[in-house]
Amino acid sequence: MARFGKDAPLGDLWRQASELFTQMVQTDLRTKAGLPEILSFLEEARIPSAIVTSSARTAVEGHLSATGLQGRFQTIVAYGDYGVGKPHPAPYLLAAERLNLPISECVALEDSRNGVLSASGAGAMTIMVPDLVQPAPDLLGRCACVLADLHAVRDLIAISSGHE
């Protein structure tokens, strides 16, 4: 608002950004490198998985369907499922509860500051897999590690769990 003034049409700008995002998702939806491979590894190793997101459930289900990934997660914790969103720990605590696991036995893969704060605050081992923005120095202490992609995460989990 400081840049555009108090009369800036923020509602219109937000609507336009949302429409552009929706269009992009429908025409150029991509998954993070290594996602199908890590999901196959987790399924073979019988390690449950969940999605914990600030997005609406309908959007998540649409993305999963569009990428052929529906049914590959045991649970989805989406906007509206929890009272307080990221960076609060509530979304991750709910996911652990739905997976019937203590949060201390969960590994959270996050790409955002708020996600790292949420997962680490809940007590999950947190691995950051950044998209465009690298973690700020203050986040590094909240992450077990920062890895370049999901291939590296799969390798780490395989070594750590003895499922090589």
Side-chain angles (χ1 to χ4, degrees), residues 40-101:
S40 293
F41 167 77
L42 294 173
E43 290 162 357
E44 289 168 18
R46 296 181 179 258
I47 299 172
S49 60
I51 293 175
V52 180
T53 181
S54 300
S55 296
R57 178 172 304 280
T58 54
V60 174
E61 289 171 350
H63 296 171
L64 292 173
S65 180
T67 56
L69 297 173
Q70 68 275 22
R72 304 233 17 218
F73 297 88
Q74 282 64 53
T75 192
I76 298 169
V77 175
Y79 178 79
D81 291 340
Y82 42 79
V84 183
K86 297 176 184 179
H88 194 276
Y92 274 98
L93 293 171
L94 179 57
E97 179 183 316
R98 287 184 178 176
L99 291 173
N100 199 29
L101 291 170

Side-chain angles (χ1 to χ4, degrees), residues 78-162:
Y79 178 79
D81 291 340
Y82 42 79
V84 183
K86 297 176 184 179
H88 194 276
Y92 274 98
L93 293 171
L94 179 57
E97 179 183 316
R98 287 184 178 176
L99 291 173
N100 199 29
L101 291 170
I103 192 68
S104 61
E105 292 182 17
C106 296
V107 175
L109 308 179
E110 269 296 344
D111 63 358
S112 72
R113 176 178 187 76
N114 281 349
V116 167
L117 294 173
S118 177
S120 65
M125 177 190 291
T126 306
I127 298 174
M128 187 169 192
V129 184
D131 277 328
L132 300 174
V133 179
Q134 294 302 308
D138 67 312
L139 275 192
L140 295 176
R142 293 181 165 267
C143 300
C145 59
V146 177
L147 297 174
D149 58 36
L150 295 176
H151 296 292
V153 174
R154 183 243 171 254
D155 293 345
L156 178 66
I157 292 172
I159 291 167
S160 299
S161 65

Side-chain angles (χ1 to χ4, degrees), residues 3 21 28 35 105 125 142:
R3 182 175 181 185
F21 179 74
D28 193 29
L35 181 61
E105 292 182 17
M125 177 190 291
R142 293 181 165 267

